[in-house]
Amino acid sequence: MPSHRQPTDNATTGPRPGVNDAEAALVEHYPRLVRLAYLTLPPTLGRHRRVLTAHATVQHVLPAARKGDPRARVPGQRTPSGSAYAWLRGQVLRAALTHDQPSPWWRVFAARPRAGLPLVVGLRLFPRAGGTDELALDQALSTVSAPARAALALRVLEGLSEQAVRALLEDAGVADPAAAVRTAERLAAHREGRAGKLLATAEFDPCTVQTRPTDLLRRRQRSRIAAAAVAIALAGAVLAVSLPEDGPPEQSLVGVRADGSLYGPAGTAALARALDPALLERAPRDAWAGTSRIDFSVWPARGGRTDDTALLKRALRVWGGPGPAVRVSATTGTGTAPPTQPPRLLYAGDLDGAAVVLLHDGQRIVRYAEPVSPRVPLPERGPLPERGPLPERGPLRRSLPESGNQAGPAPGGDTPSLAFARADQADMTTAAALAVSRTPDGARYLLAPWIAGSATRDLLAPDAPARSLGVSADGVTGAVPAPAAGGDCVAWPVMVLRTSERITERHSFLVTDLGEPSPAHLTYTPPPGGAPSRGPREATSGPALLSWARTACALRTLRGSGVRAVNNWAFAEQPLPESAGRSTWVCTRADTWRGPGRILVQFQRPASVANAPGTVVAEAVNTAACGRYGQHILAGTRWKSPSGKWFLLAAGSRDVARIEAVGSVRADTKATTLAVRAPREGSVRLSARLTGGGGLRAVG
């Protein structure tokens, strides 16, 4: 448990303390109370509002000194400090849990004089960023309810027992405290119980914050509006405002004239500096080999036009204010605002009839493309010295794709295009490639500098060898056929990438095109065995390729949804009745750049061909299931045996100790799988008990 946890006299709220006692307890334990409020408040507030609301929640629970209250005036009649803290904790918990609930009108008016405090003007506050573990835990917390977040904080930070947590939640008005505690216990198991240490880090500390300025452009606009209003009031007349000769009205935040010059508030020094091509950041060519941070920040600038100031200037100015003639696209959850500081240049060159510029601002990948006339010849293809291609393999079945629009329109169009995609928290695999061009022949990728080998293969042909993929001196691949977006699913091309031995020893992995700038990373988790459970592995082994051969076509549903990685988890194997063979239950989880996940559960019966698709039996969105924070799953389906009889089949993950079915069929078994005769139709509810004593309901 974290070192700041201290024992308390009472777990429940207890009697109302005196003002002096409450104030002393609040000052002494203020950071603990604010952290509890911060974790309980809804993440949808955003980090700035969440920090301020957490402080306001704690500061507003202090009982007002009432005239004639002896406890407020007589220091000798203090209640125990633990009791005062327990009362404050209960009040903070209740206020944080009811933050989104409407208050009675008399409370609204009563709280109005203090509702604006604390107040921060001109700055944005947010806790210090943590590592990947903290980010993953924060994303998992955003998928559960406020009572579950509160229960986790009370268990691992406050050190309260399950009974005490349930009592506190019940006293705070939570409808199902037991369910919240069960969810909290599941989250607390993260990294062998390290969730408590992670919650105690600066990532979740609203008392240790960083500051950044607010939108300086919008602030200047508001100042101008306020000044104009004062001038109008003093003058008693309406002043006429002239428009610029070749641009929109001055109140536009960002504007670009026909000659590329800025006007309006976009001419401020901050934005002008961010859009200055001379200030573009450029990483040294070998920076990736001398750092522990392997992501887009160590990509060097590549391409034949990295010194073309005019092209870079056009790309930056269009980003600062795209006009109506520019085609703008963005992946789900990606903002299109101008940069706040000079971005990093990743690529500038001519490809397939278009001039392409790739930029990175630390959070997003931005792709600018404009037509080239006359068409510039493509760079001669040939492997880099260290980027030796994988051995030449057999042919790959091809399927002509539709041009994806998330990486920008197909090059060679008659108007410029601007495409945005999220890239925060990218790593060695998710920052391994970027789509720079799309044509009917497929997509061409700019590979990361740490990629030493590249090949393609067809997921629907797991036994077929991979085929070497040519790469130019600038790191741009040949055309990789994209999976067909419609029609028959006859092939699913993927790239096999191998990292340089300068950062890791012969590490290969698969990525696939889902219509976005960054291809999605594919992984595989094998069925449970005698060894302890392990995390996802690279999908390059024989069993992994066989699993993906039966699942690949289901990836169609994920196109354009901001997916960064997809894992196939074979969570159970089940012998079928009547000696009909052995089936596999697979949960396919897609993690997005935004955080929320989506799952697809498939029942894969024995098949005569390796790429026979499984049967989708359940799916869910915005869930932690089948991931790091949702390691238990139960699913079921009906199955017709070779003799024509119908069965109810169910399977759970390795920690399922008992499965029970109620409804049109009643059955239970003390195992991870269940098979029982059942009618073809009828409602059935499946549930399970875990080895640790918790409960589980079937997904879907």
Side-chain angles (χ1 to χ4, degrees), residues 348-392:
D350 295 333
L351 284 173
D352 300 322
V356 179
V357 178
L358 290 179
L359 301 165
H360 177 237
D361 70 348
Q363 301 292 322
R364 299 169 294 174
I365 292 294
V366 180
R367 178 188 182 275
Y368 170 79
E370 65 180 23
V372 172
S373 182
R375 184 179 295 270
V376 178
L378 299 179
E380 181 180 355
R381 296 180 184 175
L384 290 171
E386 186 194 14
R387 199 187 298 275
L390 297 178
E392 188 72 21

Side-chain angles (χ1 to χ4, degrees), residues 399-448:
S399 171
L400 294 182
E402 297 179 355
S403 296
N405 61 356
Q406 294 296 342
D414 55 356
T415 59
S417 65
L418 195 66
F420 297 84
R422 287 186 62 164
D424 47 318
Q425 301 298 327
D427 55 24
M428 182 180 66
T429 56
T430 53
L434 285 174
V436 289
S437 173
R438 292 186 184 276
T439 68
D441 291 332
R444 301 179 65 189
Y445 293 89
L446 178 65
L447 299 182

Side-chain angles (χ1 to χ4, degrees), residues 270-312:
L271 185 59
R273 184 175 184 274
L275 301 182
D276 186 351
L279 300 178
L280 283 172
E281 294 188 13
R282 302 173 188 241
R285 196 163 190 84
D286 292 329
W288 59 273
T291 179
S292 60
R293 180 176 179 178
I294 306 297
D295 57 16
F296 292 113
S297 65
V298 293
W299 275 39
R302 288 172 288 175
R305 302 182 67 176
T306 55
D307 294 326
D308 189 336
T309 304
L311 172 63
L312 300 178

Side-chain angles (χ1 to χ4, degrees), residues 523-526 532-538 567-569 627-628 631:
T523 56
Y524 169 71
T525 304
S533 60
R534 296 177 61 183
R537 309 173 186 180
E538 299 302 346
N567 180 55
N568 254 9
W569 176 28
R628 181 184 299 178
Q631 301 179 8

Side-chain angles (χ1 to χ4, degrees), residues 98 472 555:
T98 58
S472 74
L555 293 172

